[in-house]
């Protein structure tokens, strides 16, 4: 017989509710009418018997022993956004993420949960930065650094991490509210410095130290939080390149991260090359200055450029001039921390802590050796500064990309030469400083590149080998900005120089191949496809000779050759070359560069199909190219933009207007960001978008 | 296969034990029977330590006897065989203690010569092991309907008033009772399946 279920509760007159039946089964004496009903109502009687049977069975189960842990995993009942945690309210919303007060359901302990801002819209770089914070904090164990409990993925697919919740006051509020002697302030500050020193020893720079990121807990111990902007120190040559925005760096040149009031001048300039542990030392200086004097060392400024000038040139008042009773030694220590020249600061937080220990022990401090006369008389090195923030960023982005390209393109050149070329570039760029040289705040990217090219010619005129290398790179940067005319002179000069050098056996086959390749790209961009084809043929033969058929440069050149052939309508030849490039690419070592090259070949095949009129067949190829690119480049990489543009174009022809519009919008956004409004590719995307929006509406 | 595999039949486990290389079979057997043996000895009044020691020795001894072909299924249930070894181990422990003159206050121990009560104790332990294992299975599968299982746990194990459970979980009173009834049915089904798996009748 089927066991009755509670849902089978009787519906007849006087039938009893499950609650009543349960109560009776549990020992409640029913009323006479209830007893009477049960005696003649089979459904109620069966249900009562079933409940009693269940109760007896469950008693037996319980008799097997207590359950040691809940039958339900702690997070199973939770349908909140972060599995395993109950979010109890926002604690802080910053540039990098939102921090919530939360309860860890498994342990019932209070904690803080940090989630990335932006959800699915967050950029790849923001995500990597977030993940890096998790790694960095997880790697640190220090009483002055918050402990990471757990990291994971929230229900929306975005990463989160849970950390210790520090109940306490902000560092500055704590000092304001507590009546502390100068000595107590220094002792408290020393603990902060000790935690930062620990991070520095682990190779981590915080990059956003400020009173809001230091909480003093209820025991009076300061805790450093928010390593959201932290990054590992880079000491190697590779690290230096990474600082320029190369592989693995989460900051691009010119991008400012941090809090202005606590940022060192080199951080304000956004020059990743100059960023090391001394920016934390500077921030500690601002914090110490405020803690001692009650006010900030610098007044606020209207914009970054003013702020930068102020940091470089203004000398803050001594803390003892702002507030009485501050020891002269502390003046010296604080001003040393705030020195605009990183070389004049304490090198690491360790050095600062040792200095504070000397102060607390009543010993002479080392900074006293830095005499006032020296400080007053020293020449403050003038740095090139444009009069607008945009100018600074522009100069840096271009400058860094040139330096990076040079270093990458010439990986085999001796370090000395690399240094020489970098220092020449620096000089060249100094000469376009609006104050010192010929630049102006209105300087556009093309004018800037032209000026740098001229300066490079002057600086390196005596070293044709280096000059030709930099000219090639500068020429390619011009092409990158779709300015073929601007790059023409540099590339043609470099080509002439290299060809002459090659005939004298003064440069390698690979060097000549490089310049032939650049020339081919130039010709292509100028619309002279036949000349482009010939130059690519020459570059291909040279690369095959120098590096063999299966080198990345060879494969890349062959792909470009196919583009030049396609542009002339030589589809069969283009296909043959693409096929060969594709086959050759199969044996390339799997690297970011080779993956990008393979995606480019797929793009090339799609473009060829398109040129031949096979619209439907090309769409999957573009999609494949996009998939191949995705793991290796940022979501807003220009190649993604170009591919999305092509996809949108195909979708337009196929009548898929909505998807086409969506992709065209994204393509336009990326290309505008990467190439600027004047670039041909950006204009093409804008035109497509305008066309689609016109049709969609 | 996981070592702790509750649904594997005892016969299958024994068959797998014949292969000396099959460490998983041994672990699965140990996971199933060692807790029963410990519970058995604890029921006889032995302390946790002694019970665990005798249980371990028993499992090891059984394995050796099984591989030597000494266990003859036709001569009785597996449980009876294990109880036989366990009794011997416990008596041996006592003898050693007596020799060493170590008083352990074992006056509460039941008479181990009484086969019927031995069998009862074993049976009770085996059944409780099945029930505990059933709860484990319920726990492993509770994600599919966590609220129902939570309501059951709060009502039956935490003995909270149905109204409190209903309020805490945002359920109606009727749904709380329904949860109890459904989990009881699910447990019955698991218990029935495991009883089949634990069946020690000679094949």
């Amino acid at each position: 017989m089927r066991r009755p279920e509670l849902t089978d509760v009787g519906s007849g007159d006087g039938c009893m509710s499950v609650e009543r039946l349960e109560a009776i089964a549990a020992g409640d004496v029913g009323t006479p009418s209830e007893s009477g009903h049960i005696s003649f109502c089979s459904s109620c009687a069966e249900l009562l018997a079933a409940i009693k049977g269940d109760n007896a069975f469950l008693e037996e189960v319980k008799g097997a022993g207590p359950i040691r842990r809940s039958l339900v995993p702690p997070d199973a009942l939770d349908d909140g956004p972060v599995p395993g945690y109950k979010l109890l309210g926002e604690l802080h919303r910053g540039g990098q993420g939102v921090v919530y007060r939360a309860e860890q359901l498994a342990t019932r302990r209070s904690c803080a949960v940090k989630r990335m801002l932006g959800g699915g819209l967050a950029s790849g770089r923001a995500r990597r930065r977030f993940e890096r914070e998790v790694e960095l904090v997880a790697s640190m164990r220090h009483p002055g650094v918050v402990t990471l409990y757990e990291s994971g993925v929230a229900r929306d697919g975005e990463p989160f991490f849970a950390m210790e919740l520090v109940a306490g006051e902000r560092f500055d509020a704590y000092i304001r509210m507590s009546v502390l002697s100068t000595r107590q302030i220094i002792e408290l500050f020393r603990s902060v410095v000790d935690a930062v020193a620990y991070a520095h020893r682990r190779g981590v720079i915080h990059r956003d130290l400020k009173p809001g990121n230091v909480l003093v807990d209820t025991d009076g111990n300061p805790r450093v939080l928010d390593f959201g902007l932290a990054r590992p120190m880079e000491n190697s040559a590779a690290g230096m390149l990474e600082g320029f925005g190369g592989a693995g760096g989460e900051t691009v040149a010119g991008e400012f991260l941090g809090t202005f009031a606590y940022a060192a001048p080199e951080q304000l300039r956004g020059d990743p090359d100059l960023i090391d542990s001394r920016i934390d030392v500077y921030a500690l200086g601002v914090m110490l200055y405020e803690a001692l004097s009650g006010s900030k060392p610098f007044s606020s400024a209207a914009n970054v450029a003013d702020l930068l000038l102020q940091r470089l040139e203004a000398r803050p008042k001594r803390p003892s001039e702002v507030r009485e009773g501050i020891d002269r030694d502390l003046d010296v220590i604080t001003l040393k921390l705030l020195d605009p020249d990183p070389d004049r600061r304490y090198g690491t937080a360790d050095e600062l802590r040792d200095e504070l220990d000397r102060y607390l022990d009543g010993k002479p401090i080392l900074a006293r050796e830095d005499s006032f006369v020296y400080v007053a008389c020293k020449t403050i090195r003038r740095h090139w500064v444009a009069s607008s923030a945009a100018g600074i960023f522009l100069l840096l982005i271009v400058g860094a990309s040139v330096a990076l390209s040079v270093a990458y393109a010439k990986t085999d050149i001796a370090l000395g030469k690399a240094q020489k070329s970098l220092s020449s570039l620096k000089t060249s760029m100094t000469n376009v400083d609006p104050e010192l040289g010929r630049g102006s705040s209105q300087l556009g990217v093309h004018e800037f590149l032209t000026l740098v090219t001229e300066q490079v010619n002057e600086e390196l005129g005596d070293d044709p080998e280096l000059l030709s290398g930099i000219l090639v790179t500068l020429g390619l940067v011009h092409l990158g900005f779709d300015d073929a005319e601007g790059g023409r002179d540099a590339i043609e000069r470099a080509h002439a120089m290299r060809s002459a050098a090659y005939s004298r056996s003064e440069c390698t086959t690979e060097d000549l191949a490089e310049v032939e390749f650049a020339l081919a790209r130039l010709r292509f961009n100028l619309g002279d496809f036949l000349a482009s084809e010939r130059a690519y043929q020459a570059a291909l033969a040279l690369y095959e000779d120098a590096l063999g058929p299966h080198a990345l440069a060879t494969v890349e050149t062959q792909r470009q050759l196919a583009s030049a052939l396609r542009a002339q309508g030589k589809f069969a030849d283009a296909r043959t070359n693409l096929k060969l490039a594709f086959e050759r690419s199969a044996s390339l070592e799997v690297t970011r560069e080779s993956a990008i090259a393979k995606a480019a070949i797929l793009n090339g095949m799609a473009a060829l199909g398109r040129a031949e009129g096979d619209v439907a067949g090309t769409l999957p190829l573009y999609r494949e190219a996009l998939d191949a690119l995705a793991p290796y480049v940022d979501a807003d990489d220009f190649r993604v933009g170009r591919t999305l543009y092509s996809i949108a174009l195909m979708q337009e022809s196929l009548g898929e207007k909505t998807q086409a519009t969506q992709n065209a919008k994204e393509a336009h956004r990326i290309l505008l960001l990467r190439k600027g409004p004047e670039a041909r590719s950006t204009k093409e995307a804008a035109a497509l978008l305008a066309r689609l929006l016109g049709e969609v509406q | 296969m996981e070592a702790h595999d509750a649904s594997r039949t005892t016969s299958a486990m024994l068959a797998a034990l014949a292969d000396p290389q099959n460490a998983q079979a041994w672990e699965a057997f140990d996971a199933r029977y060692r807790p029963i043996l410990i519970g058995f000895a604890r029921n006889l009044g032995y302390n946790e330590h002694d019970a665990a020691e005798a249980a371990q020795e028993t499992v090891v001894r059984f394995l050796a006897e099984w591989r030597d072909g000494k266990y003859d299924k036709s001569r009785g249930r597996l449980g009876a065989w294990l109880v036989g070894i366990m009794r011997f181990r416990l008596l041996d422990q006592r003898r050693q203690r007596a020799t060493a003159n170590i008083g352990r206050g074992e006056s509460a121990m039941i008479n181990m010569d009484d086969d019927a009560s031995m069998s009862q104790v074993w049976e009770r332990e085996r059944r409780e092991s099945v029930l505990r294992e059933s709860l484990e299975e319920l726990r492993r599968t509770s994600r599919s309907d966590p609220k129902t299982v939570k309501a059951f746990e709060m009502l039956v194990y935490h003995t909270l008033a149905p109204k409190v459970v209903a309020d805490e979980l945002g359920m109606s009173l009727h749904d709380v009772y329904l949860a109890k009834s459904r989990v009881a049915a699910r447990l019955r089904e698991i218990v029935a399946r495991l009883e089949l798996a634990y069946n020690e009748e000679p094949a």
Side-chain angles (χ1 to χ4, degrees):
Chain A
M1 193 184 81
R2 185 179 76 92
R3 286 178 56 78
E5 276 225 355
L6 294 196
T7 43
D8 296 340
V9 62
S11 56
D13 277 348
C15 272
M16 295 161 66
S17 69
V18 174
E19 289 88 322
R20 277 306 298 151
L21 289 169
E22 283 277 357
I24 292 168
D28 193 333
V29 182
T31 62
S33 69
E34 283 174 338
S35 307
H37 176 80
I38 290 169
S39 64
F40 67 77
C41 172
S42 62
S43 58
C44 283
E46 277 172 18
L47 211 48
L48 181 63
I51 291 169
K52 284 180 174 171
D54 277 352
N55 289 352
F57 170 65
L58 292 175
E59 276 307 309
E60 189 201 359
V61 175
K62 273 177 79 176
I67 47 171
R68 289 188 302 273
R69 58 199 167 96
S70 174
L71 294 169
V72 184
D75 60 329
L77 276 172
D78 160 45
D79 51 2
V82 180
Y85 294 86
K86 189 172 178 182
L87 303 188
L88 302 170
E90 208 169 294
L91 281 175
H92 170 70
R93 182 173 283 263
Q96 318 300 316
V98 191
V99 182
Y100 299 88
R101 177 189 296 280
E103 180 185 284
Q104 191 176 32
L105 295 168
T107 58
R108 298 247 151 191
R109 67 179 161 183
S110 295
C111 60
V113 165
K114 182 165 181 176
R115 301 184 65 195
M116 203 168 77
L117 258 185
L121 300 174
S123 72
R125 206 162 54 238
R127 181 187 288 264
R128 281 196 296 280
R129 207 180 282 139
F130 192 89
E131 286 164 355
R132 175 160 285 177
E133 179 181 7
V134 174
E135 279 169 33
L136 292 180
V137 180
S139 73
M140 286 192 274
R141 293 272 179 282
H142 187 276
V145 177
V146 285
T147 310
L148 184 106
Y149 289 153
E150 187 189 11
S151 62
V153 176
R155 292 198 203 282
D156 61 3
E158 294 300 336
F160 77 90
F161 67 86
M163 59 190 161
E164 190 184 359
L165 178 69
V166 180
E169 293 290 342
R170 278 167 57 118
F171 182 74
D172 49 356
Y174 181 85
I175 287 178
R176 243 191 342 264
M177 290 187 311
S178 319
V179 185
L180 298 180
S181 65
T182 303
R183 186 176 181 84
Q184 284 171 319
I185 291 175
I186 297 302
E187 282 168 345
L188 185 72
F189 180 70
R190 185 206 173 278
S191 302
V192 179
V193 175
D194 192 52
V196 176
Y198 169 81
H200 285 180
R201 282 198 302 277
R202 313 260 324 163
V204 175
I205 315 169
H206 188 288
R207 295 207 297 173
D208 194 20
L209 283 173
K210 55 184 175 183
N213 279 339
V214 177
L215 291 185
V216 183
D217 68 19
T218 44
D219 295 330
N221 300 315
R223 315 288 295 271
V224 179
L225 324 166
D226 202 355
F227 280 78
L229 299 183
R231 75 166 197 198
M233 290 181 195
E234 311 294 355
N235 297 319
S236 60
M240 186 191 82
L241 289 177
E242 184 174 307
F244 274 111
E250 307 317 344
T251 315
V252 292
E255 179 181 24
F256 175 78
L257 297 169
T259 307
F260 286 136
Y262 299 87
E266 66 270 25
Q267 200 176 1
L268 284 175
R269 275 205 303 269
D271 184 345
D273 188 30
L274 295 176
I275 287 178
D276 59 24
S277 58
R278 292 171 297 183
I279 67 163
D280 283 352
V281 169
Y282 188 94
L284 287 167
V286 183
M287 285 173 66
L288 179 61
Y289 192 102
E290 273 189 287
L292 289 171
S293 71
S295 56
K296 287 201 168 60
F298 299 103
S299 53
S300 59
N303 55 47
V304 184
D306 288 353
L307 207 64
L308 186 50
L309 277 174
Q310 185 191 52
R311 297 281 156 94
L312 288 171
E313 296 181 358
R315 184 95 184 146
K317 284 182 179 173
R318 292 196 303 270
S320 61
E321 289 177 84
V322 184
R323 180 175 282 177
E324 284 181 8
I326 295 170
D327 197 305
R328 174 83 180 90
D329 274 355
L330 293 175
D331 278 349
V332 174
I333 292 174
T334 313
L335 294 184
K336 183 175 170 70
L337 289 168
L338 294 175
D339 199 299
D341 181 353
D343 291 341
R344 310 274 308 148
R345 287 176 219 146
Y346 297 96
T348 63
D350 263 323
E351 286 178 26
L352 171 59
R353 191 207 39 225
D354 293 347
E355 185 82 316
L356 293 172
D357 284 343
R358 278 187 286 276
Y359 170 79
L360 289 168
D361 290 346
K363 294 177 183 165
I365 59 164
L366 296 182
R368 280 281 200 176
E369 292 168 12
D370 208 0
S371 74
F372 174 74
V373 175
Y374 176 80
V375 173
C377 296
K378 79 185 166 82
T379 310
I380 297 173
R381 198 178 60 202
R382 291 182 65 97
H383 298 260
W384 49 273
V385 180
S387 59
S388 74
I392 297 174
F393 292 172
L394 177 68
L395 296 183
L396 281 162
I397 288 165
V398 176
S401 61
V402 169
L404 184 69
S405 315
V406 169
Y408 271 142
K410 305 281 292 176
T411 44
D412 58 342
I413 60 176
L415 188 60
K417 283 206 168 180
Q419 280 167 346
K420 184 178 174 191
S421 64
L422 283 172
S423 100
S424 299
L425 272 172
K426 214 176 243 176
T427 313
S428 304
M429 286 194 267
T430 309
N431 287 337
V432 292
D433 176 342
E435 289 183 9
L436 305 173
R438 295 154 52 198
S440 84
S441 62
Q442 309 307 320
L443 203 65
V445 65
H446 304 292
E447 292 81 0
F448 172 71
L449 279 171
T450 308
L451 275 173
V452 171
T453 311
E454 285 174 15
Q455 290 297 325
V456 165
N457 273 317
E458 277 176 32
E459 281 287 316
L460 287 173
D462 60 339
D463 192 337
E465 194 186 339
L466 272 181
L467 178 58
S468 63
I470 291 181
L471 285 177
V472 170
T473 307
L474 279 169
L476 290 175
V477 172
H478 273 286
L479 298 188
F481 281 100
D482 288 349
D483 177 18
E485 280 301 338
R488 185 175 197 154
D489 183 56
I491 291 176
E492 286 180 346
R493 276 200 63 196
H495 187 261
M497 289 167 79
R498 286 255 173 104
S499 303
Y502 190 70
S503 64
R504 294 193 301 271
S505 301
E506 285 172 5
C507 84
T508 64
T509 309
E510 192 184 345
D511 284 339
L512 186 62
E514 182 193 45
V515 80
E516 284 292 351
F517 180 87
L519 188 69
R521 271 195 64 185
L522 173 72
R523 297 284 178 251
F524 189 95
N525 285 25
L526 289 170
D528 186 350
F529 302 121
L530 182 61
S532 174
E533 178 198 330
R534 286 179 185 150
Y536 276 129
Q537 291 281 18
L540 181 61
L542 290 165
Y543 271 132
E544 279 175 339
D545 188 27
L547 307 172
H550 298 288
L552 184 61
T554 313
V555 170
E556 181 65 4
T557 307
Q558 191 148 31
R559 176 185 72 80
Q560 298 274 29
L561 170 62
S563 301
L565 290 163
R566 186 195 69 219
Q568 300 170 73
K570 299 173 180 173
F571 296 148
D573 288 347
R575 190 166 294 283
T576 309
N577 277 286
L578 271 178
K579 192 162 171 277
L580 199 56
F582 186 73
E583 284 163 8
R584 286 172 166 183
S585 74
S587 57
L588 290 177
E589 194 188 337
V590 179
T591 62
R592 180 175 179 274
E593 286 70 29
S594 71
I596 290 172
K598 284 178 192 174
I601 296 173
L602 289 169
N603 255 318
M605 288 173 159
L608 183 60
R610 196 171 94 201
E612 289 175 319
D614 174 16
V615 173
T618 63
L619 203 51
L621 281 172
Y622 278 127
R623 291 218 172 95
E624 206 177 316
L626 203 58
D627 288 347
L629 269 181
Y632 297 96
V633 300
D634 274 352
D636 48 12
D637 184 274
F638 81 92
R639 283 163 286 231
V640 173
R642 281 297 292 169
T643 312
L644 282 173
Y645 166 75
S646 302
I647 289 178
L649 209 56
M650 294 299 92
Q651 287 170 329
E652 185 199 23
S653 330
L654 292 169
E656 298 168 5
K657 302 292 180 205
T658 314
Q659 292 98 313
T661 309
Q662 207 173 348
N663 286 322
K665 268 186 191 163
E666 182 63 3
H668 181 250
R669 184 188 69 76
I670 293 171
L671 292 169
L672 190 62
L673 178 74
R674 293 290 168 200
K675 296 238 170 187
E678 294 304 317
R680 193 187 67 233
S681 45
T682 313
K683 285 180 177 167
E684 283 171 355
L688 171 64
L689 188 58
R691 206 156 66 222
L692 284 163
L693 288 173
E695 288 183 32
V696 167
Q697 284 157 8
Chain B
M1 178 174 289
E2 281 182 35
H4 193 73
D5 184 355
S7 58
R8 206 172 184 200
T9 65
T10 299
S11 309
M13 256 183 208
L14 288 174
L17 273 182
D19 174 10
Q21 304 299 318
N22 193 340
Q24 284 180 340
W26 149 252
E27 283 165 21
F29 182 84
D30 187 57
R32 177 173 295 180
Y33 285 102
R34 199 200 296 218
I36 302 178
L37 287 163
I38 293 173
F40 174 80
R42 296 283 287 142
N43 258 293
L44 299 185
Y46 285 84
N47 66 35
E48 186 71 38
H49 177 262
D50 290 348
E53 196 177 298
Q56 186 182 25
E57 287 171 0
T58 301
V59 174
V60 171
R61 177 64 59 99
F62 171 80
L63 187 70
E65 291 187 2
W66 167 249
R67 287 192 179 145
D68 288 349
K70 288 184 184 163
Y71 170 52
D72 178 2
K73 281 192 274 188
S74 66
R75 282 170 48 198
R77 292 158 60 116
L78 171 69
W81 188 270
L82 284 170
V83 165
I85 300 175
M86 185 72 172
R87 279 163 74 179
F88 185 79
R89 302 312 322 156
L90 291 168
L91 284 170
D92 200 40
Q93 261 185 6
R94 267 204 220 174
R95 261 198 303 278
Q96 285 176 15
R97 296 264 155 70
T99 315
N101 199 18
I102 302 168
R104 290 255 173 158
E106 290 164 347
S107 57
M109 287 185 181
I110 66 166
N111 177 8
M112 287 214 288
D113 294 333
D114 178 358
D115 280 347
S117 57
M118 286 294 101
S119 170
Q120 261 179 18
V121 173
W122 172 264
E123 187 47 35
R124 191 164 67 233
E125 280 307 315
R126 195 199 55 80
R127 170 74 175 174
E128 284 182 3
S129 190
V130 167
L131 295 175
R132 281 195 296 272
E133 197 50 59
S134 302
L135 281 168
E136 273 308 310
E137 186 172 327
L138 178 69
R139 174 181 286 122
R140 283 197 297 275
T141 54
S142 64
R143 258 179 206 286
S144 61
D145 190 4
K147 221 169 183 180
T148 299
V149 179
K150 191 70 194 174
F152 163 82
E153 179 182 317
M154 292 169 83
L155 196 67
V156 174
Y157 276 93
H158 305 168
T159 57
L160 292 172
K163 175 80 173 68
V164 175
V165 177
D167 289 348
E168 176 87 3
L169 296 178
M171 300 165 86
S172 70
L173 209 51
H174 183 269
D175 284 345
V176 171
Y177 288 124
L178 193 62
K180 185 186 83 168
S181 146
R182 289 206 167 138
V183 174
R186 198 144 112 204
L187 274 174
R188 271 203 178 87
E189 181 199 310
I190 301 170
V191 168
R193 187 157 34 79
L194 290 187
E195 278 291 358
L196 276 178
Y198 276 59
N199 179 18
E200 294 163 1
E201 292 301 332

